[in-house]
Amino acid sequence: MKSLNKIFSVLGVSLALGLSSCVGDLDLLPNDPNQLTADKFAENPEEYIMQVMAKCYSGMAVSGQTGPDGSSDISGLDGGTSQYTRALYMLQEFTTDESKWIWPDAGVVDLVTNTWGNGNVNIFGTYSRLYVHIAICNDFLRLANSLGDYGISPDAELQATIDQYKLEARALRAMSYYWALDLFGNASFIDETSPAGTSPVQYTRQELYDWLVTELEDLVATFPTTTPIYGRVGIDGVEALLARVYLNAEVYTGTAAYDKCSQHCANIIARHQGEGFRGSGLVPVYMYLFCGDNDEYMPGGGGVNEILWGIPYDSENIQPYGGSMFLCAAGISNLTWDANDAIMTATDYGMSAQWGCMHATSQFSDKFQSDRDLRWAMWCKEQQGFSKANTNFSTFTDGYGVVKFTNLLKGNVTDPSGWDMNDNTKNWSSANGGIYATDGSAARADNFPDTDLPLIRLADVYLMYTEAYIMGHAGDATNALNYVNLVRARANETNWTASDLTADNILDERCRELYWELTRRSDLVRHGKFSGSAYNWSWKNNEANGASIAETMDLFPIPANVISAQPEFEQNPGY
């Protein structure tokens, strides 16, 4: 079992110090009987402020105060669906070519088929989850800024701890505001300077962008450059988030900022030279980033720190039906040749849970250029009885089976580049030099994985640098080519030449490298390939072969519940 720092492992504290929602009729559910009160806080400020800070982190990892079947901090959605990254996944991935959910869950079919409206329960759930998290971070900052109101005068050591927590709370809040900016555009805004209970105002997309880049630039200038404690965010994660905002600046504001994206990527890359794959700071084996002991690659994990910002998970102590559990279980099933004319076994991936409800579109599968690409080496394809075509919406095997996240443990492989994945003496599942440990996928068959969830990786930073050069001639041409080729070489793919540095190629490379990591919809929008008919995929606009959708669907609607609660808010066009 992993050793989780106390700042993250204290997940059960409820906030009774004035926590306010940013979303109309949305209520938080403080279910812990040991609620934090002002009197308790004054008795032991160091202990309790750590618990309040823990809620800022756990708000991204779990849904509520108790286990996976327990409470949720938001009403209207179950604890699994409403978990932070699963809610984001429904909007960022279900709506694209990368991931199709086959079950007819309420509201989900509308996302998968690009037919949603402003009453979609999952869009409201995602909006609500983001703003609950923002409210939690705001309340922590209010608390940290008003200790004198509780008669507390911290000594120098405690004040230094509180000051660091404040930076982290601002960073966590910035991540949620980034998603609000990207998904909804004109969205609610409130910060810690407003008294608890104050109604939010609506910022335009330009205003929210301006606030976010100012906030992140200040955090980058202020954050310590030391390695963070495992499970917490550090300078690399904060600066990578800023680079991502600048990468999308033209979408958000109409004015590109590729030069700023490039510079911040260069800063991060410079800090990671000398370790890992060819001294790049990348983990030598791609699959190791998504397995049960990938905590080594997290900030503070002790190994090559490719995961610049991630969420810790633990099979015993952190058990949501979202996060890495969702990504491990949804893509696998127990199938046999006799029953389904296909074969797949959950224990091969270190899991006992198997949902069998999420697969790839044929267009996504076609992005991979060769069988040697390690990034899809574990997928189930024709050899396992799966078909690439998507002719039957509700059939799990009607589309390749995507396996990326597992609960397996690393083997002894240090560099699989150059492998022939058809050589059964050297492949991911082989007992002779396999990528994963051979002494027990079945023994690892837990219902919940130990796999940590990457939010931003160094490979993404390398690709952002290359894209900033392609799209805006920012940075250095030689570096841009070298950086994308490092990513491709680690995947066992051939090098690009300068003529390969095109917009379509970098979009496809990001798909191959970052699929299921919450980037796809944003990438397609940035390249003009989400709405309209420039690029169609199976079941886009509820057509088997895909069809055009309105440009206004590049943004999601402000949920009808929010407009009802605050009718002065302006709805996004088209809704």
Side-chain angles (χ1 to χ4, degrees):
M1 185 177 70
K2 301 172 187 177
S3 174
L4 293 175
N5 181 265
K6 193 174 183 181
I7 185 66
F8 192 83
S9 62
V10 182
L11 300 180
V13 65
S14 290
L15 309 182
L17 290 169
L19 186 62
S20 60
S21 169
C22 284
V23 184
D25 60 354
L26 185 66
D27 294 320
L28 296 185
L29 307 174
N31 295 325
D32 193 335
N34 300 311
Q35 286 185 349
L36 173 55
T37 65
D39 289 342
K40 289 181 180 180
F41 178 64
E43 289 174 6
N44 192 339
E46 184 172 9
E47 176 70 17
Y48 281 113
I49 203 165
M50 179 180 289
Q51 293 186 40
V52 181
M53 183 65 207
K55 184 64 179 179
C56 297
Y57 275 100
S58 70
M60 286 183 165
V62 296
S63 296
Q65 302 298 122
T66 56
D69 291 320
S71 65
S72 174
D73 288 336
I74 64 174
S75 58
L77 287 178
D78 64 74
T81 308
S82 66
Q83 187 271 332
Y84 188 95
T85 57
R86 181 170 172 181
L88 288 170
Y89 191 98
M90 288 191 293
L91 271 58
Q92 276 292 101
E93 299 289 352
F94 281 176
T95 60
T96 75
D97 58 341
E98 283 191 355
S99 184
K100 292 303 167 190
W101 183 268
I102 68 172
W103 292 348
D105 297 339
V108 174
V109 172
D110 298 344
L111 298 175
V112 173
T113 59
N114 310 94
T115 56
W116 61 81
N118 63 15
N120 184 283
V121 64
N122 295 295
I123 294 175
F124 178 53
T126 304
Y127 191 100
S128 301
R129 175 56 67 185
L130 294 174
Y131 280 100
V132 164
H133 184 247
I134 289 166
I136 291 167
C137 295
N138 280 341
D139 268 32
F140 171 82
L141 292 167
R142 288 190 192 99
L143 173 65
N145 289 333
S146 60
L147 297 180
D149 295 344
Y150 300 95
I152 298 168
S153 299
D155 59 25
E157 182 178 359
L158 178 56
Q159 188 61 57
T161 298
I162 292 170
D163 289 344
Q164 177 59 32
Y165 288 171
K166 287 165 63 176
L167 292 176
E168 293 175 35
R170 290 170 60 195
L172 294 167
R173 179 181 64 180
M175 176 65 85
S176 287
Y177 268 128
Y178 158 71
W179 286 116
L181 171 70
D182 188 79
L183 296 167
F184 298 103
N186 303 330
S188 303
F189 181 83
I190 194 168
D191 65 13
E192 75 280 11
T193 64
S194 300
T198 302
S199 295
V201 298
Q202 188 178 40
Y203 268 19
T204 66
R205 205 175 202 188
Q206 179 73 61
E207 288 172 330
L208 190 54
Y209 171 86
D210 290 342
W211 178 87
L212 184 57
V213 296
T214 300
E215 178 78 347
L216 286 170
E217 288 282 10
D218 183 69
L219 286 170
V220 168
T222 311
F223 238 84
T225 57
T226 53
T227 301
I229 293 171
Y230 169 68
R232 292 163 63 178
V233 64
I235 180 66
D236 289 327
V238 175
E239 192 159 16
L241 176 59
L242 178 57
R244 185 177 285 182
V245 174
Y246 282 137
L247 181 70
N248 290 285
E250 191 168 10
V251 173
Y252 302 152
T253 71
T255 303
Y258 292 116
D259 55 337
K260 295 178 180 178
C261 173
S262 178
Q263 183 55 62
H264 285 291
C265 289
N267 295 344
I268 299 164
I269 290 167
R271 291 196 291 266
H272 286 262
Q273 297 306 290
E275 294 186 308
F277 182 72
R278 299 182 183 178
S280 66
L282 299 176
V283 171
V285 182
Y286 180 77
M287 289 92 141
Y288 287 176
L289 288 158
F290 314 102
C291 68
D293 48 357
N294 66 343
D295 54 299
E296 178 182 342
Y297 309 123
M298 288 270 284
V304 179
N305 177 207
E306 180 175 340
I307 301 174
L308 305 180
W309 192 335
I311 300 175
Y313 284 101
D314 178 271
S315 62
E316 296 181 18
N317 297 310
I318 308 177
Q319 300 180 336
Y321 286 130
S324 56
M325 166 62 175
F326 165 69
L327 295 174
C328 286
I332 61 175
S333 184
N334 286 329
L335 306 172
T336 65
W337 289 111
D338 290 341
N340 299 284
D341 197 30
I343 188 166
M344 192 183 211
T345 305
T347 55
D348 284 348
Y349 311 106
M351 293 289 292
S352 60
Q354 43 89 31
W355 299 353
C357 56
M358 202 156 70
H359 60 205
T361 67
S362 60
Q363 293 80 10
F364 174 29
S365 302
D366 286 339
K367 295 289 184 290
F368 291 89
Q369 299 169 304
S370 69
D371 288 338
R372 67 174 169 267
D373 194 324
L374 297 172
R375 295 171 294 194
W376 74 330
M378 293 189 295
W379 288 28
C380 286
K381 306 167 190 171
E382 280 86 359
Q383 302 95 307
Q384 292 81 30
F386 287 67
S387 64
K388 186 169 68 172
N390 309 113
T391 55
N392 190 333
F393 187 91
S394 300
T395 301
F396 174 56
T397 56
D398 193 49
Y400 283 168
V402 180
V403 179
K404 180 172 185 174
F405 291 84
T406 77
N407 193 36
L408 299 172
L409 299 180
K410 302 189 299 291
N412 296 317
V413 173
T414 57
D415 182 359
S417 62
W419 279 16
D420 176 2
M421 295 308 292
N422 294 314
D423 178 356
N424 63 12
T425 67
K426 280 189 174 183
N427 62 32
W428 72 272
S429 61
S430 173
N432 179 15
I435 287 176
Y436 289 113
T438 59
D439 57 353
S441 60
R444 294 269 314 154
D446 294 324
N447 199 40
F448 293 92
D450 289 315
T451 310
D452 292 347
L453 184 65
L455 292 176
I456 309 181
R457 293 192 285 116
L458 182 61
D460 189 0
V461 174
Y462 276 115
L463 295 178
M464 284 195 285
Y465 185 100
T466 301
E467 182 171 341
Y469 174 77
I470 292 171
M471 305 303 294
H473 301 292
D476 178 80
T478 300
N479 285 341
L481 185 60
N482 288 342
Y483 291 164
V484 70
N485 279 335
L486 279 169
V487 172
R488 286 177 61 79
R490 194 259 301 268
N492 199 27
E493 269 295 0
T494 58
N495 280 348
W496 281 0
T497 65
S499 64
D500 294 311
L501 294 176
T502 67
D504 284 346
N505 282 346
I506 194 63
L507 178 62
D508 287 351
E509 191 63 30
R510 286 183 63 82
C511 178
R512 289 185 285 267
E513 177 68 23
L514 301 171
Y515 67 89
W516 286 25
E517 295 183 58
L518 305 179
T519 65
R520 184 58 171 166
R521 177 198 145 275
S522 302
D523 289 349
L524 288 171
V525 169
R526 189 172 63 253
H527 285 262
K529 297 291 184 69
F530 184 73
S531 61
S533 57
Y535 174 51
N536 289 333
W537 55 86
S538 300
W539 303 110
K540 180 181 176 181
N541 201 10
N542 205 26
E543 295 284 346
N545 296 320
S548 176
I549 59 175
E551 185 177 351
T552 52
M553 299 184 84
D554 284 346
L555 279 174
F556 291 100
I558 307 301
N561 303 52
V562 176
I563 298 292
S564 177
Q566 291 195 262
E568 72 275 16
F569 277 17
E570 183 178 343
Q571 181 58 274
N572 287 328
Y575 297 104

